[in-house]
Amino acid sequence: MMAPSLLLLFNHEPTPSQLEDAFRTLGVSLVEHPPQEIRRLWQSVPPELERIGGYLKPIAEWVSSVARAGDFILIQGDFGATWLMVNLAFEGGLIPVYSTTERKAVEEAVEDGTVKLSHQFKHVRFRKYGE
């Protein structure tokens, strides 16, 4: 039996710690990046659309073309698109996961009297949707 793959529906590139964790804890043998057009669609779900099922069809078709039952799929992005794709993953026998992070906020007073706020995110673990 082949080790599972990890498909990415993610708004940015995974960090080295996320990749290392995927190989170590999920036991994946391959991380499958979507083609550029699929990435662009996923990262730019139009907020003005009332319904997004049709918009997501090429993404769903890509997932169906490369995924095997038992593969993991990292899904994070637009809330509605994420919900639809998580359901599609479950229907297809995939294991949808998301990345949990430790967040740190740093406030810095700026000379003009404003406050600059920056956030740092550090991957902690993958968690399965529904658990």
Side-chain angles (χ1 to χ4, degrees), residues 92-104:
L94 305 178
I95 305 164
V97 297
Y98 60 97
S99 175
T100 67
T101 56
E102 177 183 314
R103 297 176 169 113
K104 293 182 181 176

Side-chain angles (χ1 to χ4, degrees):
M1 184 171 149
M2 291 181 59
S5 295
L6 173 65
L7 285 72
L8 300 177
L9 285 181
F10 205 46
N11 284 338
H12 52 271
E13 286 296 314
T15 65
S17 66
Q18 286 172 318
L19 292 173
E20 187 264 319
D21 189 30
F23 289 109
R24 185 174 41 82
T25 64
L26 301 179
V28 301
S29 60
L30 174 72
V31 175
E32 185 78 42
H33 295 264
Q36 193 59 40
E37 177 62 15
I38 298 303
R39 286 184 203 192
R40 187 190 65 72
L41 289 170
W42 183 255
Q43 293 171 353
S44 304
V45 177
E48 67 277 357
L49 291 180
E50 183 176 347
R51 297 173 183 264
I52 58 173
Y55 177 87
L56 296 175
K57 188 175 181 191
I59 298 169
E61 289 171 348
W62 172 75
V63 169
S64 295
S65 74
V66 298
R68 300 180 327 265
D71 281 345
F72 292 90
I73 181 167
L74 174 59
I75 306 174
Q76 287 183 243
D78 173 271
F79 291 121
T82 295
W83 188 87
L84 289 168
M85 296 308 294
V86 166
N87 285 312
L88 179 76
F90 280 130
E91 290 170 7
L94 305 178
I95 305 164
V97 297
Y98 60 97
S99 175
T100 67
T101 56
E102 177 183 314
R103 297 176 169 113
K104 293 182 181 176
V106 178
E107 291 185 13
E108 176 185 340
V110 183
E111 287 181 14
D112 66 2
T114 61
V115 175
K116 178 181 175 184
L117 181 62
S118 64
H119 294 272
Q120 296 177 333
F121 299 90
K122 181 181 177 190
H123 174 75
V124 175
R125 65 168 294 121
F126 291 107
R127 188 178 294 142
K128 295 176 184 176
Y129 280 93
E131 293 186 4

